[in-house]
Amino acid sequence: MAKPHRGSGRRGRRFGAAPCGQVNAFFSSRCVVNQDCCVFDASSDAIFVHDAGSGRILAMNRQACELTGRAREELRGRTVDVISAPANEFHAQAALSRIRSALTQGPQTFEWRLRRQGCEFPVEVRLKPIGGPGGRRVLAAFRDVSDRQAAERRLVERERYYRTLIENAVDGIAILSGDGRVRYVGPSITAVLGFTERQVLGRSVLPFLHPSDVGAARALLRGAGDGSQGAEVRRLSYRILHRDGRWRHHDAFVKDLRHDPAIGGFLVNFRDVTDLLRAENAARTQERQVEHLARLSTLGELAASLAHELNQPIAAVANYIGGSVERLSKRRGTLASVLHGLDRAQAEALRAGRIIAGLRSFTRRGDHQREETNLTHLVTEVAQLIELKAEMAAVDVTYDLRHDLPPVACHRVLIEQVILNIAFNGIEAMDTDWHGDRRLTLSTALAGDGARLSIADTGPGLGGINPDRLFEAFYTTKKHGLGIGLSLCRSIIDSHGGHVWVTAPAGQGTVFHVLLPALAAAHRV
């Protein structure tokens, strides 16, 4: 199919721009039949001159021939239906009716459809009455509007496309003025907050925010930027009142687009994260329960040693007190010897108390508040428990601890749990089937801007196992292990902004390393 002519798209002065006096004078002269007139042909529009009585074409310019694909001889004396699309509304009588309306009612503008070499295309027609020899005439200026209509269709489709995206978006979108009033809000507001667009347009969002979050929102709108190009995107977390009366948690990203005439305000993309926060809180609660159960499991492994360790000071207390009572009742011994016995009983009781206090501290759930401490100090806090486990396995424990390490910010109980888990793994690696050297070494050292703990055993080593797999959840090399200990250790250290890894020195044994950032570096995590 032939492509319709686009000659009317050329830029130039519209024919109707000529003064009326010049046009009337032109068509009052013999130039009406002079097809070589340069003024007539200079128009960028296709121009026809019609007889108002019959509607027949009296004259036309060169652009008219190009637009219709017909010679002047084919057009002169014919009615407009010869070049019109074969539809009922584009017949000769309809054209004549419009021509006569131009005479009686003044200039007319409307759309018409032409046909050129079997191809139809739209044109904009402007009719204007003019004077001429032998009666009234009507000038018709045709302009091809195919490109314009195609552009309009594309614009409509594009608008429908974005409207569909916005209407079906899970997130919300809004445009706010500097004082927080809603200038625009997407249809998703109903799904997100229960309100309709009409209910919130023109209203300020600030009264809907939780009182604790209003200040941050005001500060962001006031200081988000100066409206200049390239203003950064700001993030805002807040609580907002749902239509059902419940507080919902939102995350929003705010962009200052006051400089953009198409926006003229703050563009806000917001999302309801209430369910996500609940899920995260539930996951954290479950993680803490797992941590607590892991600590109880650790104590279960130490039950026999703890009973033995507590039995010694308790038995000593009983002996010292019994001896003191006997001396007092039989009036034997001196006051100094009785007081010595009571002092020793007190010391053994305090020793048992320290053991119990350490157990209570290690097994408590706690609120996981971080505090400033020293990595070496944490090792010494759990050293007694490590030595109890080592004594059961006939393993020697040695220490190489530095006391000038930078302070770290951590959850003491969680890091102590990491130390115990790794130390116990090392001790268990040197079980009764291992006949080599049985030694566990804990050392601390400076490492960049942090502190490092290394726990080395002299067991059989990794045996070709990929070191990274040791930290995978539910992966274990133990016969009765669950595979959560080292995975839990990695999660705890990662949450502190640290790093845990394992190396296998040449020969035998493994070394686990724990790196924690120093206090200043931890604040940047």
Side-chain angles (χ1 to χ4, degrees):
M1 182 177 290
K3 186 178 180 181
H5 180 65
R6 299 291 186 265
S8 62
R10 295 196 303 268
R11 297 185 180 273
R13 191 181 66 174
R14 299 164 69 100
F15 183 85
C20 293
Q22 294 180 16
V23 174
N24 289 335
F26 170 72
F27 285 104
S28 297
S29 67
R30 295 174 62 187
C31 290
V32 170
V33 295
N34 182 3
Q35 302 305 324
D36 296 326
C37 176
C38 61
V39 176
F40 197 37
D41 282 341
S43 172
S44 62
D45 292 340
I47 300 177
F48 297 87
V49 179
H50 296 270
D51 177 76
S54 63
R56 295 184 182 278
I57 299 173
L58 300 177
M60 74 294 301
N61 66 353
R62 176 172 52 82
Q63 285 78 8
C65 297
E66 293 179 358
L67 180 67
T68 60
R70 294 176 180 266
R72 286 186 171 96
E73 292 73 17
E74 295 180 83
L75 296 173
R76 189 180 295 111
R78 306 289 294 275
T79 55
V80 75
D81 60 311
V82 72
I83 57 174
S84 299
N88 292 335
E89 63 267 33
F90 303 125
H91 54 77
Q93 192 59 39
L96 181 59
S97 175
R98 289 184 179 274
I99 290 172
R100 291 175 176 173
S101 294
L103 281 177
T104 59
Q105 301 176 17
Q108 305 282 310
T109 301
F110 54 92
E111 285 194 4
W112 198 261
R113 291 191 70 83
L114 298 185
R115 177 182 56 189
R116 181 179 185 271
Q117 298 177 352
C119 183
E120 297 181 13
F121 58 97
V123 292
E124 181 185 75
V125 182
R126 300 186 310 280
L127 299 180
K128 182 177 181 180
I130 58 174
R136 301 285 286 173
R137 304 284 188 266
V138 173
L139 181 145
F142 285 59
R143 172 166 291 184
D144 186 347
V145 293
S146 300
D147 291 340
R148 186 183 74 188
Q149 289 190 355
E152 289 173 351
R153 285 194 299 271
R154 288 194 297 269
L155 184 62
V156 169
E157 284 299 309
R158 201 67 176 168
E159 183 178 354
R160 188 182 67 83
Y161 170 76
Y162 284 113
R163 183 72 181 179
T164 302
L165 289 180
I166 293 175
E167 287 177 348
N168 292 280
V170 176
D171 297 346
I173 184 171
I175 298 175
L176 304 182
S177 61
D179 59 356
R181 294 190 179 277
V182 179
R183 297 183 55 191
Y184 167 81
V185 66
S188 56
I189 187 69
T190 303
V192 177
L193 282 173
F195 295 98
T196 64
E197 299 170 66
R198 181 177 297 180
Q199 288 174 320
V200 298
L201 282 175
R203 301 180 65 179
S204 173
V205 300
L206 299 179
F208 292 89
L209 299 182
H210 192 279
S212 301
D213 301 325
V214 173
R218 275 207 181 99
L220 188 146
L221 293 175
R222 185 169 55 247
D226 56 5
S228 60
Q229 187 74 29
E232 64 178 307
V233 176
R234 303 293 185 92
R235 183 175 180 178
L236 179 67
S237 297
Y238 56 89
R239 287 157 292 177
I240 190 168
L241 194 63
H242 193 278
R243 193 180 182 188
D244 62 10
R246 294 180 298 170
W247 291 107
R248 306 292 293 182
H249 292 264
H250 281 195
D251 264 354
F253 293 92
V254 183
K255 173 79 170 179
D256 186 357
L257 293 177
R258 287 174 291 173
H259 64 279
D260 189 336
I263 305 297
F266 292 93
L267 179 63
V268 183
N269 293 280
F270 56 93
R271 170 179 294 185
D272 190 322
V273 295
T274 307
D275 294 336
L276 178 62
L277 290 178
R278 288 174 181 167
E280 290 178 349
N281 289 334
R284 280 194 291 268
T285 300
Q286 186 176 18
E287 183 179 2
R288 291 180 181 181
Q289 290 173 345
V290 171
E291 294 165 357
H292 183 66
L293 290 175
R295 291 196 293 275
L296 294 179
S297 175
T298 299
L299 292 183
E301 298 177 19
L302 293 173
S305 295
L306 287 173
H308 173 72
E309 188 71 12
L310 288 174
N311 184 62
Q312 286 183 334
I314 292 174
V317 168
N319 289 334
Y320 282 124
I321 292 179
S324 299
V325 169
E326 183 179 2
R327 283 179 171 80
L328 291 175
S329 60
K330 295 183 178 181
R331 299 179 181 273
R332 293 190 307 176
T334 63
L335 179 61
S337 64
V338 172
L339 291 176
H340 174 73
L342 294 177
D343 286 341
R344 296 301 302 167
Q346 182 183 33
E348 293 297 327
L350 291 175
R351 176 187 168 194
R354 284 194 297 270
I355 296 174
I356 295 173
L359 293 176
R360 291 183 59 188
S361 173
F362 180 69
T363 56
R364 72 178 186 270
R365 291 182 182 270
D367 55 4
H368 287 187
Q369 293 298 316
R370 296 194 182 194
E371 56 183 289
E372 179 181 344
T373 187
N374 184 284
L375 189 55
T376 293
H377 177 70
L378 295 180
V379 173
T380 59
E381 285 287 305
V382 296
Q384 191 172 38
L385 297 179
I386 295 173
E387 292 166 5
L388 285 174
K389 177 76 171 179
E391 183 179 355
M392 295 174 59
V395 172
D396 294 328
V397 181
T398 60
Y399 301 94
D400 181 14
L401 306 177
R402 292 187 57 165
H403 297 276
D404 58 347
L405 298 179
V408 296
C410 66
H411 304 299
R412 295 172 59 97
V413 174
L414 295 184
I415 301 302
E416 289 174 358
Q417 183 173 351
V418 170
I419 298 172
L420 283 179
N421 282 349
I422 295 176
F424 283 11
N425 279 347
I427 293 171
E428 291 170 0
M430 299 174 286
D431 58 16
T432 55
D433 295 332
W434 177 245
H435 302 293
D437 188 20
R438 307 168 72 87
R439 185 175 65 259
L440 186 75
T441 302
L442 291 85
S443 58
T444 56
L446 293 169
D449 60 352
R452 185 185 73 237
L453 166 67
S454 297
I455 302 178
D457 66 70
T458 57
L462 297 179
I465 298 173
N466 184 348
D468 293 334
R469 293 210 62 191
L470 295 177
F471 298 98
E472 294 179 3
F474 306 113
Y475 177 81
T476 180
T477 58
K478 301 177 183 179
K479 293 181 181 180
H480 304 291
L482 297 177
I484 62 173
L486 291 178
S487 174
L488 182 62
C489 290
R490 183 176 64 178
S491 299
I492 293 173
I493 297 303
D494 286 347
S495 70
H496 285 75
H499 181 50
V500 58
W501 72 101
V502 61
T503 58
Q508 64 185 34
T510 56
V511 184
F512 283 83
H513 307 274
V514 175
L515 176 65
L516 289 178
L519 185 60
H523 287 166
R524 297 193 296 267
V525 175

